Amino acid sequence: MIILITGASHTGKTLLAQRMIEKYHYPCLSIDHLKMGLIRSGNTALTPEEDSELTDYLWPIVREMIKTAIENQQNLIVEGCYIPFDWRHDFDELYLSSIRFICLTMTDDYIDSHFDDIQKYACVIEHRFDDSDCTVEKLKADNKAYIEGFRNSGETVTLIDTYYFLAVKELLYK
């Protein structure tokens, strides 16, 4: 089984992945780690701020890693924001039947009423050196883009509207 976790920044993708690692004992591929490895090693001139270009660059690599894991009947959690909205078009039914897709997003109301908590928990799993670009406006725009993009591609999106940890718990036990 492949568990594919995506969503806007600060929605708790890495925390959910960590909880799934603890529950299922599956290995995890962080697309952010792959991104930084390629950037720091000089294998790309892209920078961490070039989200669209990074998706185009990273997705073919991640896609083929997913296919390889499925072909080898291996379990894997893949977590990160660099997953295109139309990702399903890259897999036939043989592969799709082995992929569980999760997209975490937050509603505007949740962001407005929990912004302090979002900032407080931003480093609960990974340390963010500079989180100064995390604003209410940016979070709302990012979440709207993920909601619209994945819904327009026919995907189910998990909307965090009231209780974050309840939403995570429900995803763990689906």
Side-chain angles (χ1 to χ4, degrees), residues 15-162:
L15 177 63
L16 177 60
Q18 182 63 41
R19 297 295 181 261
M20 289 190 162
I21 291 167
E22 293 164 3
K23 178 178 177 167
Y24 298 116
H25 305 283
Y26 290 178
C28 183
L29 168 66
S30 165
I31 302 174
D32 281 341
H33 290 176
L34 176 62
K35 168 190 76 177
M36 291 311 298
L38 291 165
I39 290 171
R40 287 180 173 176
S41 67
N43 282 292
T44 180
L46 294 171
T47 66
E49 291 77 32
E50 297 175 273
D51 287 342
S52 179
E53 294 87 351
L54 282 165
T55 299
D56 293 342
Y57 181 70
L58 294 169
W59 178 245
I61 299 165
V62 172
R63 175 192 68 218
E64 297 308 315
M65 293 173 77
I66 290 169
K67 288 180 180 178
T68 301
I70 292 170
E71 290 161 359
N72 287 300
Q73 299 178 354
Q74 295 171 315
N75 300 313
L76 181 64
I77 298 166
V78 178
E79 174 268 319
C81 61
Y82 303 103
I83 297 168
F85 299 134
D86 64 347
W87 68 273
R88 283 186 189 271
H89 297 290
D90 291 328
F91 299 97
D92 63 29
E93 189 51 44
L94 171 74
Y95 295 107
L96 288 172
S97 64
S98 296
I99 300 173
R100 177 181 173 199
F101 175 79
I102 299 170
C103 179
L104 290 176
T105 60
M106 297 174 176
T107 65
D108 285 355
D109 287 343
Y110 184 86
I111 293 167
D112 284 333
S113 54
H114 293 89
F115 184 69
D116 290 341
D117 289 334
I118 292 167
Q119 287 186 307
K120 182 170 93 176
Y121 290 109
C123 294
V124 72
I125 298 293
E126 59 190 1
H127 181 70
R128 298 172 188 264
F129 290 109
D130 179 14
D131 207 24
S132 60
D133 66 337
C134 178
T135 65
V136 169
E137 295 76 24
K138 185 170 183 337
L139 287 177
K140 286 181 179 182
D142 288 350
N143 279 273
K144 283 179 187 174
Y146 274 82
I147 293 166
E148 183 177 305
F150 280 112
R151 281 188 173 165
N152 287 343
S153 292
E155 298 294 344
T156 300
V157 174
T158 299
L159 284 172
I160 300 166
D161 188 38
T162 322

